[in-house]
Amino acid sequence: MDPITVGLIGVAGLFLLILAGFPIVFAAAITGFLGLSFLKGFAVATNIAGLIPYDSTARYELSVLPLFILIGFLANSAGMINGAYRFARAWLGWMPGGVGVATIFASAGFGAVSGASTATAAVFARVAIPELSKSGYSLKNSAALVAASGTLASLIPPSTILVVYGIIVEESIGKLLLAGFIPGFFSALVYAAYIVFAAKTTSGAKPQIIRASWRNRLAEVPRVLPIIAVILVIIIGMSSGWSTPTEAGAVGAGIVFVMFLFSGKFSIRELHACLMDSIRLTVMIFATIWGVLILARFLAFSGLPGAVANWIVGLDMHASVILCIILTAYVVLGMFMNAIGMLLLTLPIIFPAIVELGFDPIWFGILVVKVVEIGLITPPVGLNCFVVAGVRPDIQLGSIFKGVIPFLGMDLVTIAILFSFPAIVLWLPSLV
């Protein structure tokens, strides 16, 4: 049988296993192992399954992933979310829709230490929705705002998704993390601009404006200093060359741990829970990567990625049009799959075509992750919306999905700008 045909059968079998309820790690590993056995023999498949995952991931630079995950869990336990929110509300509450704007930037700030969209959405669903409701936002709009704001953590370093992207396509993780910083906060600005515009133009009751004295504003500054310290350590350390991403992650974790010690919430039981949660999530992500690497080697032997790349490059379309089609396909996939699984399954096939078309891999990575953010708030999966509804069962899931529609529009605006002006993405990593 033609190897490319074997590759196509393997991809079809992969999706059948996923639809049957198999976890991605097992579906990918089983498909890859069986495909390798068919193409190269059982002995070769066994050697690859035993060696490739370890050789590809047992690298010093990839230890940044568990460190970033640990930062998120420690920050959550230390109560840093409350400090970020109180600071943002004190300094931004004077604007039209100020509490909503504060929620967006507090989410962005917490995303800069958590790196996890769902965690950010879950915590802010508890903290921000009551305050948004008090200031005049409906429950629907409050929940939608929290769900959308949580997606900002996908781009702003430390971003787990960007690290996974870097592992799969073998790009510099440090440059990817730096590339996500400006687009992440630019996305926050676009969200905030919409909130201000909606507050000014909406007829009827408007959200309250909260004015804080300068004394109160300055009193909130110490609460946000740990977040600023972590951001500066990661961004300045990597951009200046003073530290690798792993070293920056270690220092960031150390800063958050010290804050946890002095937060008044420290206990051995809570620390043990943070460490165990970090271990579980790290093992889950790396196990998924291992399974997909076996699949990727099978696909490489089948020649399917090269065939797909040649087919895409040979299309009678401008390269930008082809890229738009690829990004649109990611939006559709995001409605049915989680972010990391979607990237792991598609990049081994799609990425060679991106390289052949001449697009910058780091720029493409930021665009893909931004598109993945859209999947976090689109039905029927829309994981962030499910998380918010789980925390606040009194808010209907359907109303949250309706409420995020304007934010989906803002995401499309952001993608169009990043697409048109790649320098927004590439300027910061170019300094390294």
Side-chain angles (χ1 to χ4, degrees):
M1 188 182 297
D2 179 59
I4 293 178
T5 303
V6 175
L8 290 172
I9 294 173
V11 171
L14 170 68
F15 282 100
L16 286 175
L17 289 175
I18 293 174
L19 291 174
F22 276 70
I24 290 176
V25 55
F26 297 119
I30 290 171
T31 302
F33 184 81
L34 293 178
L36 286 169
S37 298
F38 185 86
L39 291 175
K40 297 295 180 179
F42 181 79
V44 173
T46 302
N47 288 334
I48 290 175
L51 295 175
I52 289 297
Y54 177 82
D55 289 341
S56 301
T57 56
R59 304 201 305 264
Y60 164 77
E61 60 269 23
L62 299 188
S63 58
V64 67
L65 186 59
L67 288 170
F68 282 174
I69 292 171
L70 179 60
I71 287 175
F73 283 112
L74 288 175
N76 188 30
S77 295
M80 292 173 63
I81 179 69
N82 292 302
Y85 189 65
R86 291 181 60 174
F87 173 85
R89 189 175 58 180
W91 284 84
L92 300 173
W94 60 271
M95 304 174 67
V99 178
V101 175
T103 300
I104 289 169
F105 283 102
S107 294
F110 187 69
V113 293
S114 75
S117 295
T118 52
T120 304
V123 175
F124 271 87
R126 295 184 180 93
V127 175
I129 289 180
E131 297 298 325
L132 288 165
S133 300
K134 289 178 185 177
S135 70
Y137 283 89
S138 66
L139 283 177
K140 178 193 77 172
N141 290 335
S142 299
L145 195 156
V146 167
S149 299
T151 65
L152 298 172
S154 295
L155 275 180
I156 300 173
S159 167
T160 302
I161 296 180
L162 283 175
V163 174
V164 171
Y165 174 87
I167 294 172
I168 297 301
V169 304
E170 298 182 356
E171 279 296 323
S172 167
I173 291 174
K175 289 187 175 182
L176 280 166
L177 292 172
L178 288 173
F181 183 77
I182 294 178
F185 278 98
F186 179 76
S187 297
L189 285 173
V190 173
Y191 279 177
Y194 163 73
I195 292 296
V196 172
F197 174 79
K200 282 187 171 183
T201 58
T202 300
S203 59
K206 298 180 183 294
Q208 295 177 0
I209 291 177
I210 299 176
R211 300 185 185 277
S213 66
W214 280 102
R215 181 177 181 179
N216 290 337
R217 290 177 181 176
L218 294 175
E220 298 297 336
V221 171
R223 299 178 182 275
V224 80
L225 290 179
I227 294 177
I228 295 174
V230 172
I231 295 173
L232 291 178
V233 163
I234 292 174
I235 299 301
I236 296 178
M238 291 190 302
S239 62
S240 65
W242 293 346
S243 65
T244 64
T246 299
E247 292 164 348
V251 175
I255 293 172
V256 177
F257 177 68
V258 171
M259 294 306 302
F260 181 35
L261 285 176
F262 293 96
S263 66
K265 300 182 179 182
F266 175 81
S267 68
I268 296 298
R269 177 176 293 182
E270 187 67 23
L271 177 61
H272 179 266
C274 288
L275 294 173
M276 291 305 298
D277 287 340
S278 300
I279 291 171
R280 290 189 189 98
L281 184 55
T282 300
V283 170
M284 183 273 290
I285 293 175
F286 269 98
T288 304
I289 293 172
W290 294 333
V292 171
L293 288 174
I294 297 171
L295 173 70
R297 182 53 60 95
F298 156 57
L299 294 175
F301 277 123
S302 73
L304 182 61
V308 172
N310 292 333
W311 175 74
I312 291 176
V313 172
L315 292 174
D316 188 18
M317 298 179 185
H318 192 276
S320 297
V321 176
I322 296 175
L323 181 57
C324 288
I325 295 173
I326 292 173
L327 293 177
T328 302
Y330 271 108
V331 172
V332 176
L333 281 176
M335 297 179 182
F336 304 96
M337 298 180 65
N338 67 67
I340 292 178
M342 178 169 56
L343 293 183
L344 289 172
L345 292 179
T346 58
L347 285 175
I349 298 174
I350 294 296
F351 189 72
I354 296 300
V355 174
E356 288 293 325
L357 291 170
F359 292 115
D360 187 285
I362 292 177
W363 176 69
F364 173 72
I366 299 302
L367 288 179
V368 166
V369 171
K370 184 60 190 176
V371 170
V372 165
E373 289 184 7
I374 295 178
L376 289 171
I377 54 175
T378 50
V381 175
L383 191 56
N384 274 19
C385 296
F386 275 93
V387 168
V388 173
V391 175
R392 291 295 303 263
D394 56 317
I395 307 175
Q396 292 184 352
L397 180 62
S399 67
I400 300 176
F401 279 126
K402 290 179 182 178
V404 298
I405 291 175
F407 295 99
L408 293 174
M410 295 303 101
D411 282 335
L412 294 178
V413 169
T414 300
I415 291 172
I417 294 173
L418 298 179
F419 188 95
S420 303
F421 303 99
I424 297 174
V425 175
L426 299 175
W427 175 73
L428 195 56
S430 70
L431 300 179
V432 179

